[in-house]
Amino acid sequence: MSAMESHAVPYVEAQQAHASELPAAGVAALDRSRLEALEILGERGLPSQHDEDWKYTSIKPITRSRFSPAVSGVDCSEHFIAASAIDNLDAWQLVFADGFHLPHRSKTDGLPEGVQVTGLAEALTQDPAPIVDRLGFAMGEMPHGFSAMNSAFVGDGALVEVDPGVQLDKPIELLFVSGCSGEGFLSLPRNLVILGDGSEASIIERHISFGAERSLSNSLTEIILGKSATLNYCCAQDQAERTFHVGGLFCRLAQSAKFKATTITMGRSWVRNDARINLDAEGAHANLDGAYLAFGRCHVDNHTHISHNAPECTSRECYKGVLGDRGHAVFHGRIVVQPHAQKTDSEQSNQNLLLSADAQIDTKPQLEIYADDVKCAHGATVGQLDEAALFYLVSRGVDRETARRMLTQAFAAEILETVTPSALQNYLASRVLSQLSPAVPPEAVA
Amino acid sequence: MLDIKNLKVTVDGKAILNGLNLNVGPGEVHAIMGPNGSGKSTLANVIAGRDGYEVTNGSVTFMGNDLLSMAPEDRAREGVFLAFQYPVEIPGVANIALLKEGLNAARRHRGETELDALDFLKLVREKLKLVEMKEEFLYRSVNEGFSGGEKKRNEIFQMAMLEPSLAVLDETDSGLDIDALKTVAGGVNALRSEDRSIILVTHYQRLLDYIVPDRVHVLAGGRILRSGDKQLALDLEERGYGWIDTVAA
Ligand SMILES: Nc1ncnc2c1ncn2[C@@H]1O[C@H](COP(=O)(O)OP(=O)(O)O)[C@@H](O)[C@H]1O
Ligand SMILES: [Mg+2]
């Protein structure tokens, strides 16, 4: 047995031990899909650096010790949730402790007709068939062992379903708190978002840590957008140093659907994100943006994959990273234009600001074009703070420290400024600023 | 106000200023003229404290203090201001954020309280008028997408906000059409006062029709070759810099 396979063994065994207790166990189709995922996990194991997509990301920090799947019944204090709230954000909210929905902490009053916002386990227990049908659809082929693990345990998480034509006037916040069970637990939330034709919604997915406990959060979100549906989605990852986060974002877009996703990675944790967007029908548009901070010794890896599967779709992707100390970030962005996807219009960029000589970025933008009538552009940059701009600020009396912070913040602002609603944007900007304050060192200039 | 003695400066090992002497008294306006590449911007940058200029000899005294030993931000807070020849664009940093930070840093430095939002805005509006700038420029990123003239106006606007004791204006007139030139000159004239000295770096006499200097100096070969009153600028206009070389030689 290889190391990759052996690392998966404790999780395979844990699933086998608990399979009968998972939500809606006994529903044949669900049991079958869990078992299939379990087989994939067993066969492929957890990823290693021999795997091309994991070349720059070692999972050693995770495999050093094993994590036990958290069990339902865990709670998170009202006080903690209130203290972590986003100021002035008017939103419906589902709260999760180690991946389990806490109905008594959630706020879904006043949701309009035709909108379901609930825990996935609850929905699976009530009426599994329509959910089971759609689980795994947006993801398609599982990218790696972690997504197989999530699928083998699939149980709780969020279900958001918006009927055709319904437009939500407030965002829905999905708040995931990890580390609630104590030291060494694994959470496996699975979120399913389905927007009917012509519907509109905003979703905020936020991941935070309860304390300093070592925990692994393996979270997977699947999104299915109907014709002309519009989703404004923001994922805010703001976890503590000993939280390991593997995030999956999978979205399929029907004709003329619009998806705007922004992933902001702050915090001090080890993070690996996989995003896969499938533009399945004409006129679909995806905007996939991200900003990441990598300070201290933290590691942030973003793998994105946008597939143009139909003609006349557009995609815009921009990821910006700020790295300091001994931070390490990885960006691998793939754009694939399938043979019949003529008139594709796609732009991708990855820009990085390196504030320390010990920080490291591995960036790889990648275009694969199999159609001939397309407009595609991509590029990556790595740079330091602009000395001329810095002197300009300082010559106006601004101290060097503040000047560096202003320029660094300005760099990230390009992404943050596209985030709505403004309460969320302000929150993210202040979180980013607070992380930058002590972290921009004096030698940060080229 | 400013006393420069025997200043020698090299850039990348190349001598640019070769023993420059200049004394600017309080309330005086001095023009420094000279051919391209003669070291005018070098002098301006050395006064402001930019990196990359090595002072190998001489001294610069500002209001009795050794200017060269001060960090650039402290020079600014003590009242030194440089209007850049080429103001840099800074995407993502709003003009107003820079002004607030700079102004309050100077106030803290002087032991004063920071301006509250209302007083700040009042001051800003008053100074905008001086250079005929629209309020929307406050909220735009510093110089980003500004036309050449707008950039120069923004420099004078910042000067008006920071109320320096010594302002060095590095070719603030170049690239301005006649109307913009009059506006900028009007702004500068409004800021002339007994306790504010101004150094105008230019190579056109034109600006000096609008801002009349007390002294005119010709900088060439890294030295002040000749000084005089405003008549010197007119002579230069007529005879060119070659005339200075021959007279000096
Ligand atoms: N940062 C620099 N690096 C190299 N050479 C420089 C630099 N700044 C100025 N110089 C050189 O110093 C000389 C004087 O330049 P400058 O002070 O800009 O002149 P002026 O402003 O009078 O046109 C020129 O020969 C110029 O090429
Ligand atoms: Mg010059």
Side-chain angles (χ1 to χ4, degrees):
Chain A
M1 189 183 286
S2 73
M4 299 146 75
E5 291 160 21
S6 68
H7 287 140
V9 169
Y11 301 100
V12 171
E13 288 173 357
Q15 199 275 357
Q16 285 163 339
H18 296 286
S20 63
E21 299 150 28
L22 292 171
V27 172
L30 186 57
D31 286 350
R32 200 163 47 243
S33 77
R34 283 175 179 151
L35 205 59
E36 278 169 19
L38 192 69
E39 277 165 9
I40 295 174
L41 173 61
E43 278 163 22
R44 292 177 59 175
L46 295 182
S48 86
Q49 289 182 272
H50 298 299
D51 184 339
E52 187 58 30
D53 279 342
W54 289 78
K55 200 167 159 187
Y56 302 106
T57 295
S58 162
I59 66 162
K60 277 210 188 78
I62 293 178
T63 53
R64 201 168 284 146
S65 72
R66 55 170 294 189
F67 294 90
S68 318
V71 289
S72 69
V74 57
D75 201 356
C76 181
S77 76
E78 193 173 343
H79 173 76
F80 178 82
I81 293 161
S84 316
I86 296 174
D87 281 346
N88 302 318
L89 179 71
D90 183 16
W92 291 290
Q93 190 186 45
L94 295 187
V95 178
F96 300 83
D98 286 339
F100 294 98
H101 178 218
L102 304 178
H104 55 293
R105 304 272 182 242
S106 298
K107 291 178 296 189
T108 54
D109 293 347
L111 273 169
E113 193 117 328
V115 182
Q116 197 184 1
V117 178
T118 180
L120 186 72
E122 196 182 318
L124 272 172
T125 314
Q126 279 166 13
D127 185 14
I131 298 169
V132 174
D133 274 354
R134 288 174 289 186
L135 279 174
F137 172 69
M139 176 164 49
E141 199 188 317
M142 292 184 198
H144 46 64
F146 286 105
S147 32
M149 187 196 293
N150 182 288
S151 301
F153 281 90
V154 63
D156 213 350
L159 173 71
V160 176
E161 184 158 10
V162 182
D163 284 354
V166 177
Q167 296 175 355
L168 289 177
D169 57 357
K170 290 201 297 192
I172 299 162
E173 186 191 9
L174 312 175
L175 178 64
F176 296 89
V177 187
S178 58
C180 302
S181 305
E183 181 83 9
F185 282 91
L186 159 67
S187 58
L188 295 144
R190 175 68 159 250
N191 307 310
L192 183 59
V193 175
I194 301 159
L195 261 57
D197 294 352
S199 66
E200 260 184 61
S202 277
I203 294 180
I204 302 161
E205 179 181 323
R206 189 153 62 104
H207 295 270
I208 58 176
S209 304
F210 179 69
E213 275 77 16
R214 187 178 152 83
S215 65
L216 171 60
S217 125
N218 179 359
S219 168
L220 203 159
T221 299
E222 290 191 280
I223 298 170
I224 303 167
L225 301 183
K227 286 182 189 162
S228 301
T230 301
L231 178 63
N232 174 22
Y233 166 91
C234 179
C235 182
Q237 304 173 327
D238 195 358
Q239 291 144 309
E241 197 169 343
R242 297 178 75 231
T243 304
F244 301 88
H245 183 82
V246 182
L249 172 64
F250 302 92
C251 180
R252 276 191 190 279
L253 289 83
Q255 190 182 325
S256 300
K258 286 190 174 58
F259 181 45
K260 150 95 174 122
T262 310
T263 299
I264 312 287
T265 308
M266 304 161 279
R268 292 281 163 156
S269 55
W270 181 104
V271 176
R272 159 71 181 223
N273 290 316
D274 285 86
R276 288 201 178 181
I277 313 296
N278 276 290
L279 300 159
D280 282 343
E282 273 178 37
H285 173 76
N287 208 313
L288 184 64
D289 294 332
Y292 47 89
L293 307 180
F295 289 98
R297 314 200 89 201
C298 93
H299 183 95
V300 182
D301 179 347
N302 277 290
H303 267 62
T304 69
H305 184 153
I306 298 176
S307 189
H308 283 257
N309 304 328
E312 290 179 42
C313 293
T314 51
S315 64
R316 294 288 178 272
E317 178 175 10
C318 180
Y319 272 70
K320 294 186 93 167
V322 181
L323 289 73
D325 309 325
R326 305 184 57 127
H328 183 193
V330 181
F331 175 81
H332 185 181
R334 269 178 85 189
I335 307 274
V336 180
V337 181
Q338 302 293 356
H340 49 284
Q342 301 297 359
K343 307 256 187 260
T344 285
D345 180 350
S346 170
E347 284 173 20
Q348 181 197 57
S349 83
N350 172 232
Q351 296 162 34
N352 297 280
L353 184 58
L354 246 61
L355 299 176
S356 128
D358 295 323
Q360 189 188 333
I361 171 76
D362 294 290
T363 175
K364 186 175 164 194
Q366 191 180 341
L367 275 176
E368 291 168 40
I369 303 175
Y370 303 106
D372 47 26
D373 182 15
V374 301
K375 216 170 85 190
C376 291
H378 73 159
T381 62
V382 179
Q384 281 95 30
L385 290 177
D386 176 10
E387 176 64 54
L390 192 58
F391 181 67
Y392 192 91
L393 299 181
V394 165
S395 78
R396 297 319 184 222
V398 180
D399 66 88
R400 290 184 83 84
E401 191 72 17
T402 307
R404 278 186 206 99
R405 199 166 61 234
M406 286 168 86
L407 293 178
T408 307
Q409 205 188 351
F411 176 80
E414 193 192 346
I415 299 295
L416 295 175
E417 277 166 6
T418 68
V419 173
T420 54
S422 57
L424 174 63
Q425 184 186 126
N426 294 340
Y427 170 83
L428 292 171
S430 78
R431 287 297 302 154
V432 165
L433 183 62
S434 76
Q435 309 253 337
L436 293 178
S437 302
V440 181
E443 70 277 14
V445 173
Chain B
M1 179 69 67
L2 182 74
D3 192 19
I4 302 178
K5 286 207 171 78
N6 193 31
L7 184 65
K8 296 186 180 177
V9 174
T10 61
V11 178
D12 293 338
K14 183 176 137 199
I16 308 292
L17 298 181
N18 304 305
L20 182 140
N21 293 293
L22 180 68
N23 190 294
V24 182
E28 292 177 1
V29 174
H30 288 223
I32 295 183
M33 306 182 71
N36 269 328
S38 58
K40 303 183 298 295
S41 291
T42 300
L43 174 63
N45 283 320
V46 167
I47 292 172
R50 187 168 199 151
D51 279 349
Y53 297 88
E54 199 193 342
V55 176
T56 55
N57 210 331
S59 66
V60 180
T61 311
F62 170 65
M63 300 210 293
N65 297 316
D66 173 15
L67 193 69
L68 297 177
S69 67
M70 289 159 68
E73 61 269 37
D74 289 330
R75 298 183 196 195
R77 293 167 189 174
E78 290 278 339
V80 174
F81 181 88
L82 169 62
F84 288 85
Q85 181 174 3
Y86 304 109
V88 56
E89 299 194 6
I90 313 181
V93 174
N95 237 343
I96 192 162
L98 167 58
L99 283 172
K100 199 177 252 172
E101 199 59 51
L103 188 70
N104 281 328
R107 291 180 68 94
R108 287 193 299 269
H109 183 77
R110 294 193 296 259
E112 298 166 10
T113 55
E114 297 189 1
L115 277 187
D116 67 33
L118 232 60
D119 287 341
F120 179 74
L121 209 61
K122 210 176 124 206
L123 185 67
V124 159
R125 292 201 169 123
E126 176 193 318
K127 305 296 186 183
L128 276 173
K129 246 184 244 144
L130 199 64
V131 287
E132 295 173 18
M133 263 171 73
K134 290 206 186 92
E135 205 167 315
E136 62 170 81
F137 281 95
L138 293 174
Y139 303 99
R140 285 174 53 180
S141 293
V142 175
N143 296 323
E144 191 187 26
F146 287 25
S147 71
E150 285 164 352
K151 284 180 183 166
K152 297 302 175 88
R153 266 177 217 237
N154 198 29
E155 295 295 289
I156 301 306
F157 166 58
Q158 293 181 19
M159 166 182 164
M161 284 295 296
L162 297 171
E163 303 185 310
S165 305
L166 172 69
V168 182
L169 275 48
D170 192 358
E171 300 211 19
T172 301
D173 54 331
S174 56
L176 294 185
D177 62 31
I178 191 71
D179 291 332
L181 182 73
K182 281 182 185 166
T183 309
V184 163
V188 174
N189 283 329
L191 292 166
R192 280 180 90 150
S193 82
E194 278 169 21
D195 43 19
R196 178 169 300 130
S197 309
I198 298 174
I199 297 176
L200 297 172
V201 171
T202 177
H203 57 215
Y204 302 109
Q205 191 274 333
R206 187 178 72 152
L207 176 69
L208 307 182
D209 287 341
Y210 299 96
I211 309 172
V212 180
D214 298 303
R215 299 285 291 165
V216 175
H217 310 275
V218 179
L219 176 60
R223 241 176 287 200
I224 302 287
L225 287 189
R226 206 181 166 117
S227 300
D229 59 13
K230 61 181 186 194
Q231 184 58 40
L232 176 58
L234 293 168
D235 293 345
L236 275 174
E237 181 87 345
E238 202 172 310
R239 305 196 196 185
Y241 290 110
W243 161 69
I244 295 289
D245 285 342
T246 51
V247 172

